Amino acid sequence: METREPCSNLEKICRSGAFVVTSELGPPKSAESAVIHKKASYLKSVSDAANLTDNQTAIVRMSSIAAAVLCLQDGFEPVIQVTCRDRNRIAIQSDLLGAWSLGVRNVLCLSGDHMRGGNHPQSKPVYDVDSMNLIAMVRGMDTGKFQNGEEIKPAPRFFVGAVENPFAPPYEFRPYRLRKKADAGAQFIQTQMIFNIPRFKEFMKQVVDLGLHERMYILAGVGPIKTAGAARYMRDQVAGMDVPDEIVKRMESAGKGIEDKRAKAEATREEGIKICVEIIQQMREIPGIAGVHIMSIEWEEAVPIIVQRAGLLPRPNPAEIKLPESQVAVAA
Amino acid sequence: MKWYEWGPVAWARNYLNTHPRVENFFQVTTFPLEAAAKKLIFGCQTCGQCLLHENGMTCPMRCPKTLRNGPCGGVRLNGHCEVYPERWCVWYKAYYRSQTLPLLPKTWREDMFRHHPPVDWRLIGTASLLNELTGRAHGIWPTPPEEKKKAAPQPAAKT
């Protein structure tokens, strides 16, 4: 791992060795800032940072940098997502300079969902750089160089993250792709939502064999399912998700036999949270996992319940963390 | 010694880099032939910086996201594309082909695990064979003549 002054609170918590909890905050499909403040109020006390999605599933939403600034006003640590889908290398670098000047310190680099699945399928795909080169570009800015080699003064220094999906074929290649990301300079990894635990364990075994868990903080992605229909949809329709039949059956049987609609929905949601907590418990036992990333898609109210039941409270206060001298001695 | 350092090749590269009109002639004549042949066999997208051999003879520019460093996280469980469910994922094919196709040299197979730089969009629609020869496919661009003049130090006038 790196030995330099941590550039964000999230990096500080990662380095301290605590079990990290990050969450996801989806900006609204409108110009309403109150939505962000409301969602942040749920997540603030129970997670160390929140990802602000960059037009996820290619549906137009509030810009992730703008939403990050609203989060900062609430005193909540944001992680901005940067996708290659909508911007070329000029726009990405200029946005990152702006984000740094506004106080954002964490960046998550992704390729981004294709616009064909979004609400503007007729738009032009950019994909000027891919996620691997995006990571390299952000880390290059960190050392004071634009992608073309020109100097930046002062350089923005971000805590750079990346994502990995262990459930998409070719399975043999996935750990090596993660190694490519580590070589490009990724400092933390958030995985796709985990439901298929045997497959994930196998993946983590290969990752540990390659020694990647010592170079990056790997946060396991988890998430509660709200309804049985959502579980079926994720199993059958969503690309890159691996939901075993067993989970779908559990979700279906939770609400079985209950006449009252509201009580039925309540029972199903309860089961969704229960499954999520069980998965977090299992993640804590897997070697090489530094934390969890809770993706509650448009269901932020569930996160405090999950974190509390998983026994991850109270969250560490970054101001009180004192890192050993050896970890911060050398400046980058 | 690498192949491009070999005398005649180095001379040809140098000649093409210093004679843009000759290079243009070769671009105009080679490009249609190369593009037509590769389009027919590999579905070439004429990116001008060919990676076919490093990806098991599968063109990564056929990927809807034009990724150059491996598959995205949206590959379906059956190995199909996230964007076009009826198509195979380009990278799924590329990975298995690069590891199993016969007659490929070992270095080409290992290139699958190497970091590839982003696409140079100046080369779109040019002949990859020529770019390979002139070095542009690897990011080596000749310095424009004006800049060269500026950079070259003027001999000090004798007094």
Coordinates of all heavy atoms in Angstrom, one line a residue, chain A residues 89 111-114 116 127-130 132-133 147 165 167-174 176-177 179-180 237 239-242, chain B residues 64-77 79 82-84 91-92 95-96 112-119 121:
Chain A
R89 N -11.4 12.8 -23.1 CA -10.3 13.0 -22.0 C -10.2 14.5 -21.6 O -9.8 14.8 -20.5 CB -9.0 12.4 -22.4 CG -8.6 12.7 -23.9 CD -7.5 11.7 -24.3 NE -8.1 10.8 -25.3 CZ -7.4 9.9 -26.0 NH1 -6.1 9.7 -25.7 NH2 -7.9 9.1 -26.9
S111 N -16.3 2.4 -16.8 CA -16.6 2.6 -18.2 C -18.0 3.2 -18.4 O -18.2 4.0 -19.3 CB -16.6 1.3 -19.0 OG -15.6 0.5 -18.5
G112 N -18.9 2.8 -17.6 CA -20.3 3.3 -17.7 C -21.2 2.5 -18.5 O -20.8 1.8 -19.5
D113 N -22.5 2.4 -18.1 CA -23.5 1.7 -18.9 C -23.7 2.3 -20.3 O -23.6 3.5 -20.4 CB -24.8 1.7 -18.1 CG -24.7 1.1 -16.8 OD1 -24.1 0.0 -16.7 OD2 -25.2 1.7 -15.8
H114 N -23.9 1.5 -21.2 CA -24.1 2.0 -22.6 C -25.5 2.7 -22.7 O -26.4 2.3 -22.1 CB -24.0 0.8 -23.6 CG -23.8 1.2 -25.0 ND1 -24.8 1.6 -25.8 CD2 -22.6 1.4 -25.7 CE1 -24.2 2.0 -27.0 NE2 -22.9 1.8 -26.9
R116 N -27.6 2.7 -25.0 CA -28.7 1.9 -25.5 C -29.7 1.5 -24.5 O -30.9 1.3 -24.8 CB -28.1 0.6 -26.2 CG -27.6 0.9 -27.5 CD -28.3 0.1 -28.6 NE -28.0 0.5 -29.9 CZ -28.5 0.0 -31.0 NH1 -29.4 -0.9 -30.9 NH2 -28.2 0.4 -32.1
Y127 N -16.8 7.1 -25.1 CA -15.8 6.1 -24.8 C -14.5 6.4 -25.5 O -13.9 5.6 -26.2 CB -16.3 4.7 -25.3 CG -17.5 4.2 -24.5 CD1 -18.8 4.2 -25.1 CD2 -17.4 3.9 -23.2 CE1 -19.9 3.8 -24.4 CE2 -18.5 3.5 -22.5 CZ -19.8 3.5 -23.1 OH -20.8 3.1 -22.4
D128 N -14.0 7.6 -25.2 CA -12.7 8.1 -25.7 C -11.6 7.3 -25.1 O -10.7 6.8 -25.8 CB -12.6 9.6 -25.4 CG -11.4 10.2 -26.0 OD1 -10.8 9.6 -26.9 OD2 -10.9 11.2 -25.5
V129 N -11.7 7.1 -23.7 CA -10.7 6.3 -23.0 C -11.5 5.2 -22.4 O -12.7 5.3 -22.2 CB -9.9 7.1 -22.0 CG1 -9.0 8.0 -22.6 CG2 -10.9 7.8 -21.0
D130 N -10.9 4.1 -22.0 CA -11.6 3.0 -21.3 C -11.3 3.2 -19.8 O -10.4 4.0 -19.4 CB -11.4 1.6 -21.8 CG -9.9 1.3 -21.9 OD1 -9.1 1.9 -21.1 OD2 -9.5 0.4 -22.7
M132 N -9.6 1.5 -17.7 CA -8.2 1.2 -17.3 C -7.4 2.5 -17.5 O -6.6 2.9 -16.7 CB -7.7 0.1 -18.1 CG -6.8 -0.9 -17.4 SD -7.8 -1.9 -16.3 CE -8.7 -2.9 -17.5
N133 N -7.6 3.1 -18.7 CA -6.8 4.3 -19.0 C -7.3 5.5 -18.3 O -6.6 6.4 -18.0 CB -6.9 4.6 -20.5 CG -6.1 3.6 -21.3 OD1 -4.9 3.4 -21.0 ND2 -6.7 2.9 -22.3
Q147 N -2.8 14.0 -19.2 CA -2.5 12.8 -20.0 C -1.5 13.0 -21.1 O -0.8 12.1 -21.5 CB -3.9 12.3 -20.5 CG -3.9 10.8 -20.7 CD -4.5 10.4 -22.0 OE1 -4.7 11.2 -22.9 NE2 -4.8 9.1 -22.1
N165 N -16.4 -6.7 -11.6 CA -17.6 -7.6 -11.6 C -17.1 -9.1 -11.6 O -16.7 -9.6 -12.7 CB -18.5 -7.3 -12.7 CG -19.8 -8.2 -12.6 OD1 -19.9 -9.0 -11.7 ND2 -20.7 -8.0 -13.6
F167 N -18.8 -11.7 -11.4 CA -19.8 -12.6 -11.9 C -20.0 -12.6 -13.4 O -20.9 -13.2 -13.9 CB -21.1 -12.3 -11.2 CG -20.9 -12.2 -9.7 CD1 -20.9 -11.0 -9.0 CD2 -20.7 -13.4 -8.9 CE1 -20.7 -10.9 -7.7 CE2 -20.5 -13.3 -7.6 CZ -20.5 -12.1 -7.0
A168 N -19.2 -11.9 -14.1 CA -19.3 -11.8 -15.6 C -18.2 -12.7 -16.2 O -17.1 -12.6 -15.8 CB -19.3 -10.4 -16.1
P169 N -18.6 -13.5 -17.2 CA -17.5 -14.3 -17.8 C -16.7 -13.3 -18.7 O -17.1 -12.2 -19.0 CB -18.3 -15.2 -18.7 CG -19.7 -14.7 -18.8 CD -19.9 -13.8 -17.7
P170 N -15.5 -13.7 -19.1 CA -14.7 -14.9 -18.7 C -14.2 -14.9 -17.3 O -13.4 -14.0 -17.0 CB -13.6 -14.9 -19.8 CG -13.4 -13.5 -20.2 CD -14.7 -12.8 -20.0
Y171 N -14.6 -15.9 -16.5 CA -14.2 -15.9 -15.1 C -12.7 -15.9 -14.9 O -12.2 -15.3 -13.9 CB -14.9 -17.0 -14.4 CG -16.4 -17.0 -14.4 CD1 -17.2 -18.1 -14.7 CD2 -17.1 -15.8 -14.1 CE1 -18.5 -18.0 -14.7 CE2 -18.4 -15.7 -14.1 CZ -19.2 -16.9 -14.4 OH -20.5 -16.8 -14.4
E172 N -12.0 -16.7 -15.7 CA -10.6 -16.9 -15.5 C -9.8 -15.6 -15.7 O -8.8 -15.4 -15.1 CB -10.0 -17.9 -16.6 CG -10.6 -19.3 -16.5 CD -11.8 -19.4 -17.4 OE1 -12.5 -18.3 -17.7 OE2 -12.1 -20.5 -17.9
F173 N -10.4 -14.7 -16.5 CA -9.7 -13.4 -16.8 C -9.9 -12.3 -15.7 O -9.1 -11.4 -15.6 CB -10.1 -12.9 -18.2 CG -9.4 -11.7 -18.7 CD1 -8.0 -11.8 -18.8 CD2 -10.0 -10.6 -19.0 CE1 -7.3 -10.7 -19.2 CE2 -9.3 -9.5 -19.5 CZ -8.0 -9.5 -19.6
R174 N -11.0 -12.4 -15.0 CA -11.4 -11.3 -14.1 C -10.3 -10.9 -13.1 O -10.0 -9.8 -12.9 CB -12.7 -11.7 -13.4 CG -13.9 -11.7 -14.3 CD -14.3 -10.3 -14.7 NE -15.2 -10.3 -15.9 CZ -15.6 -9.2 -16.5 NH1 -15.3 -8.1 -16.0 NH2 -16.3 -9.3 -17.6
Y176 N -7.2 -11.2 -13.4 CA -6.1 -10.5 -14.1 C -6.4 -9.1 -14.6 O -5.6 -8.2 -14.6 CB -5.7 -11.4 -15.3 CG -5.0 -12.7 -14.9 CD1 -5.8 -13.9 -14.9 CD2 -3.7 -12.7 -14.5 CE1 -5.2 -15.0 -14.5 CE2 -3.2 -13.9 -14.0 CZ -3.9 -15.1 -14.0 OH -3.4 -16.2 -13.6
R177 N -7.7 -9.0 -14.9 CA -8.2 -7.6 -15.2 C -8.1 -6.7 -14.0 O -7.7 -5.6 -14.1 CB -9.7 -7.7 -15.6 CG -10.2 -6.4 -16.1 CD -11.6 -6.7 -16.8 NE -12.2 -5.4 -17.2 CZ -13.0 -4.7 -16.4 NH1 -13.3 -5.1 -15.2 NH2 -13.5 -3.6 -16.9
R179 N -5.9 -7.1 -11.7 CA -4.4 -6.8 -11.6 C -4.0 -5.6 -12.6 O -3.3 -4.8 -12.2 CB -3.6 -8.0 -11.9 CG -2.1 -7.8 -11.6 CD -1.3 -9.1 -11.9 NE -1.3 -9.4 -13.3 CZ -0.7 -10.5 -13.8 NH1 -0.1 -11.4 -12.9 NH2 -0.7 -10.7 -15.0
K180 N -4.6 -5.6 -13.7 CA -4.4 -4.5 -14.7 C -4.8 -3.2 -14.0 O -4.1 -2.2 -14.1 CB -5.3 -4.7 -15.9 CG -4.6 -5.4 -17.1 CD -5.5 -5.4 -18.3 CE -4.9 -5.8 -19.5 NZ -5.8 -5.6 -20.7
Q237 N -33.0 -10.3 -16.3 CA -32.9 -9.2 -17.3 C -31.6 -8.5 -17.2 O -31.0 -8.0 -18.2 CB -34.0 -8.2 -17.1 CG -35.4 -8.8 -17.2 CD -35.7 -9.2 -18.6 OE1 -35.3 -8.6 -19.6 NE2 -36.5 -10.3 -18.8
A239 N -27.9 -7.5 -17.1 CA -26.7 -8.1 -17.6 C -25.6 -7.9 -16.5 O -25.6 -6.8 -15.8 CB -26.2 -7.4 -18.8
G240 N -24.8 -8.9 -16.3 CA -23.7 -8.8 -15.3 C -24.1 -9.0 -13.9 O -23.4 -8.8 -13.0
M241 N -25.3 -9.5 -13.7 CA -25.8 -9.8 -12.3 C -26.0 -11.3 -12.2 O -26.5 -11.9 -13.1 CB -27.1 -9.1 -11.9 CG -26.9 -7.6 -11.8 SD -26.8 -6.9 -10.2 CE -27.9 -7.8 -9.2
D242 N -25.6 -11.9 -11.1 CA -25.7 -13.3 -10.9 C -26.6 -13.5 -9.6 O -26.0 -13.5 -8.5 CB -24.3 -14.0 -10.8 CG -24.4 -15.5 -10.8 OD1 -25.6 -16.0 -10.8 OD2 -23.4 -16.1 -10.7
Chain B
P64 N -19.3 -2.4 -28.4 CA -20.0 -1.1 -28.4 C -19.4 0.0 -27.6 O -19.6 1.2 -27.9 CB -21.4 -1.5 -27.9 CG -21.5 -3.0 -27.9 CD -20.1 -3.5 -27.9
K65 N -18.6 -0.4 -26.6 CA -17.9 0.6 -25.8 C -16.5 0.9 -26.2 O -15.7 1.6 -25.6 CB -17.9 0.2 -24.3 CG -19.3 0.0 -23.7 CD -19.3 -0.3 -22.2 CE -20.6 -0.6 -21.7 NZ -20.6 -1.0 -20.3
T66 N -16.1 0.2 -27.3 CA -14.7 0.3 -27.9 C -13.6 0.2 -26.8 O -12.7 1.0 -26.7 CB -14.5 1.6 -28.7 OG1 -14.6 2.7 -27.9 CG2 -15.4 1.7 -29.9
L67 N -13.8 -0.8 -25.9 CA -12.8 -1.0 -24.8 C -11.6 -1.7 -25.4 O -11.7 -2.5 -26.4 CB -13.4 -1.9 -23.8 CG -14.7 -1.4 -23.1 CD1 -15.2 -2.4 -22.1 CD2 -14.5 -0.1 -22.4
R68 N -10.4 -1.3 -24.9 CA -9.2 -1.9 -25.4 C -8.5 -2.7 -24.3 O -7.4 -3.2 -24.6 CB -8.2 -0.8 -25.9 CG -8.8 0.2 -26.8 CD -8.6 -0.2 -28.2 NE -7.3 0.1 -28.8 CZ -7.0 0.0 -30.0 NH1 -8.0 -0.3 -30.9 NH2 -5.8 0.2 -30.5
N69 N -9.0 -2.8 -23.1 CA -8.3 -3.5 -22.0 C -9.1 -4.5 -21.3 O -9.0 -4.7 -20.1 CB -7.9 -2.4 -21.0 CG -6.6 -1.7 -21.4 OD1 -5.6 -2.4 -21.5 ND2 -6.6 -0.5 -21.6
G70 N -9.9 -5.3 -22.1 CA -10.7 -6.4 -21.5 C -12.1 -6.0 -21.4 O -12.6 -4.9 -21.6
P71 N -12.9 -7.1 -21.0 CA -14.4 -6.9 -21.0 C -14.9 -6.0 -19.9 O -14.2 -5.8 -18.9 CB -14.9 -8.3 -20.8 CG -13.8 -9.0 -20.0 CD -12.5 -8.4 -20.5
C72 N -16.1 -5.4 -20.2 CA -16.7 -4.6 -19.1 C -17.4 -5.5 -18.1 O -17.4 -6.7 -18.3 CB -17.7 -3.6 -19.7 SG -19.2 -4.3 -20.4
G73 N -18.0 -4.9 -17.2 CA -18.7 -5.7 -16.1 C -20.1 -6.2 -16.5 O -20.8 -6.8 -15.7
G74 N -20.5 -5.9 -17.8 CA -21.9 -6.2 -18.1 C -22.0 -7.4 -19.0 O -23.1 -7.6 -19.6
V75 N -21.0 -8.2 -19.1 CA -21.1 -9.4 -19.9 C -22.2 -10.4 -19.3 O -22.2 -10.6 -18.1 CB -19.8 -10.2 -20.0 CG1 -19.8 -11.3 -20.9 CG2 -18.6 -9.3 -20.4
R76 N -23.1 -10.8 -20.1 CA -24.1 -11.7 -19.6 C -23.6 -13.1 -19.2 O -22.5 -13.5 -19.7 CB -25.2 -11.9 -20.7 CG -26.0 -10.6 -20.8 CD -26.9 -10.6 -22.0 NE -27.4 -9.2 -22.3 CZ -28.5 -8.7 -21.7 NH1 -29.2 -9.4 -20.9 NH2 -28.8 -7.4 -21.9
L77 N -24.3 -13.8 -18.4 CA -23.8 -15.1 -17.9 C -23.6 -16.1 -19.0 O -22.7 -17.0 -18.9 CB -24.8 -15.7 -16.9 CG -25.0 -14.8 -15.6 CD1 -25.9 -15.5 -14.6 CD2 -23.7 -14.6 -14.9
G79 N -22.2 -15.2 -21.8 CA -21.1 -14.7 -22.6 C -21.6 -13.8 -23.7 O -20.8 -13.5 -24.6
E82 N -23.9 -7.0 -23.3 CA -24.9 -6.3 -22.5 C -25.8 -5.4 -23.4 O -27.0 -5.3 -23.2 CB -24.1 -5.4 -21.5 CG -24.9 -4.3 -20.8 CD -24.1 -3.4 -20.0 OE1 -23.0 -3.0 -20.5 OE2 -24.5 -3.0 -18.9
V83 N -25.2 -4.8 -24.4 CA -25.9 -3.9 -25.3 C -26.7 -4.6 -26.4 O -27.8 -4.2 -26.6 CB -24.9 -2.9 -25.9 CG1 -25.6 -1.8 -26.7 CG2 -24.0 -2.2 -24.9
Y84 N -26.1 -5.6 -27.0 CA -26.8 -6.3 -28.0 C -26.9 -7.8 -27.5 O -25.9 -8.6 -27.7 CB -26.0 -6.3 -29.3 CG -25.8 -4.9 -29.9 CD1 -24.6 -4.3 -29.7 CD2 -26.8 -4.2 -30.5 CE1 -24.4 -3.0 -30.2 CE2 -26.6 -3.0 -31.0 CZ -25.4 -2.3 -30.8 OH -25.2 -1.1 -31.3
W91 N -15.0 -9.4 -26.1 CA -13.9 -9.7 -25.3 C -14.0 -11.1 -24.7 O -12.9 -11.7 -24.4 CB -13.8 -8.7 -24.1 CG -13.1 -7.5 -24.6 CD1 -13.7 -6.4 -25.0 CD2 -11.7 -7.4 -24.7 NE1 -12.7 -5.5 -25.4 CE2 -11.5 -6.1 -25.3 CE3 -10.6 -8.2 -24.5 CZ2 -10.2 -5.6 -25.5 CZ3 -9.3 -7.7 -24.7 CH2 -9.2 -6.4 -25.3
Y92 N -15.2 -11.7 -24.6 CA -15.3 -13.1 -24.2 C -14.7 -14.0 -25.3 O -13.9 -14.9 -25.0 CB -16.8 -13.4 -24.1 CG -17.2 -14.8 -23.6 CD1 -17.1 -15.1 -22.3 CD2 -17.5 -15.7 -24.6 CE1 -17.5 -16.4 -21.9 CE2 -17.9 -17.0 -24.1 CZ -17.8 -17.3 -22.8 OH -18.2 -18.6 -22.4
Y95 N -10.8 -13.4 -25.4 CA -10.0 -14.0 -24.3 C -9.7 -15.5 -24.6 O -8.6 -15.9 -24.6 CB -10.7 -13.9 -23.0 CG -9.9 -14.6 -21.9 CD1 -8.7 -14.2 -21.4 CD2 -10.4 -15.8 -21.4 CE1 -8.0 -14.9 -20.5 CE2 -9.7 -16.5 -20.4 CZ -8.5 -16.1 -20.0 OH -7.8 -16.8 -19.1
Y96 N -10.8 -16.2 -25.0 CA -10.7 -17.6 -25.2 C -9.9 -17.9 -26.5 O -9.1 -18.8 -26.5 CB -12.0 -18.3 -25.2 CG -12.6 -18.4 -23.8 CD1 -13.7 -17.7 -23.4 CD2 -11.9 -19.2 -22.8 CE1 -14.2 -17.8 -22.1 CE2 -12.4 -19.2 -21.5 CZ -13.5 -18.5 -21.2 OH -13.9 -18.6 -19.9
M112 N -2.6 -10.2 -23.9 CA -3.9 -10.1 -23.3 C -3.9 -9.5 -21.9 O -4.8 -8.8 -21.5 CB -4.6 -11.5 -23.3 CG -5.9 -11.6 -22.8 SD -7.1 -10.5 -23.4 CE -7.9 -11.3 -24.7
F113 N -2.8 -9.7 -21.2 CA -2.7 -9.3 -19.8 C -1.9 -8.0 -19.6 O -1.6 -7.6 -18.6 CB -2.0 -10.4 -19.0 CG -2.8 -11.7 -19.1 CD1 -2.3 -12.7 -19.9 CD2 -3.9 -11.9 -18.4 CE1 -3.0 -13.9 -20.1 CE2 -4.6 -13.1 -18.5 CZ -4.1 -14.1 -19.3
R114 N -1.6 -7.4 -20.8 CA -0.8 -6.1 -20.8 C -1.8 -4.9 -20.9 O -2.9 -5.0 -21.4 CB 0.1 -6.2 -22.0 CG 1.1 -5.1 -22.1 CD 2.1 -5.5 -23.3 NE 1.4 -5.3 -24.6 CZ 1.3 -4.2 -25.2 NH1 1.6 -3.1 -24.7 NH2 0.7 -4.2 -26.4
H115 N -1.3 -3.8 -20.3 CA -2.1 -2.6 -20.4 C -1.9 -1.9 -21.8 O -0.8 -1.8 -22.3 CB -1.6 -1.6 -19.4 CG -2.3 -0.3 -19.4 ND1 -3.4 0.0 -18.5 CD2 -2.2 0.8 -20.1 CE1 -3.9 1.2 -18.7 NE2 -3.2 1.7 -19.7
H116 N -3.1 -1.6 -22.4 CA -3.0 -1.0 -23.8 C -3.4 0.5 -23.6 O -4.3 0.8 -22.9 CB -4.0 -1.7 -24.7 CG -3.6 -3.1 -25.0 ND1 -2.6 -3.4 -25.8 CD2 -4.1 -4.2 -24.5 CE1 -2.5 -4.7 -25.8 NE2 -3.4 -5.3 -25.0
P117 N -2.7 1.4 -24.3 CA -3.0 2.8 -24.3 C -4.3 3.1 -24.9 O -4.8 2.3 -25.7 CB -1.8 3.4 -25.0 CG -1.3 2.4 -25.9 CD -1.5 1.1 -25.2
P118 N -4.9 4.3 -24.7 CA -6.2 4.6 -25.3 C -6.0 4.8 -26.8 O -4.9 5.0 -27.3 CB -6.6 5.9 -24.6 CG -5.4 6.4 -24.0 CD -4.5 5.3 -23.7
V119 N -7.1 4.7 -27.5 CA -7.1 4.9 -29.0 C -6.7 6.3 -29.3 O -7.0 7.3 -28.7 CB -8.5 4.7 -29.5 CG1 -8.5 4.8 -31.1 CG2 -9.1 3.3 -29.1
W121 N -7.3 8.9 -31.8 CA -8.4 9.1 -32.7 C -7.9 9.9 -34.0 O -8.7 10.0 -34.9 CB -9.6 9.9 -32.1 CG -10.2 9.0 -31.0 CD1 -9.8 9.0 -29.7 CD2 -11.2 8.1 -31.1 NE1 -10.6 8.1 -29.0 CE2 -11.5 7.5 -29.9 CE3 -12.0 7.6 -32.2 CZ2 -12.4 6.5 -29.6 CZ3 -13.0 6.7 -32.0 CH2 -13.2 6.1 -30.7

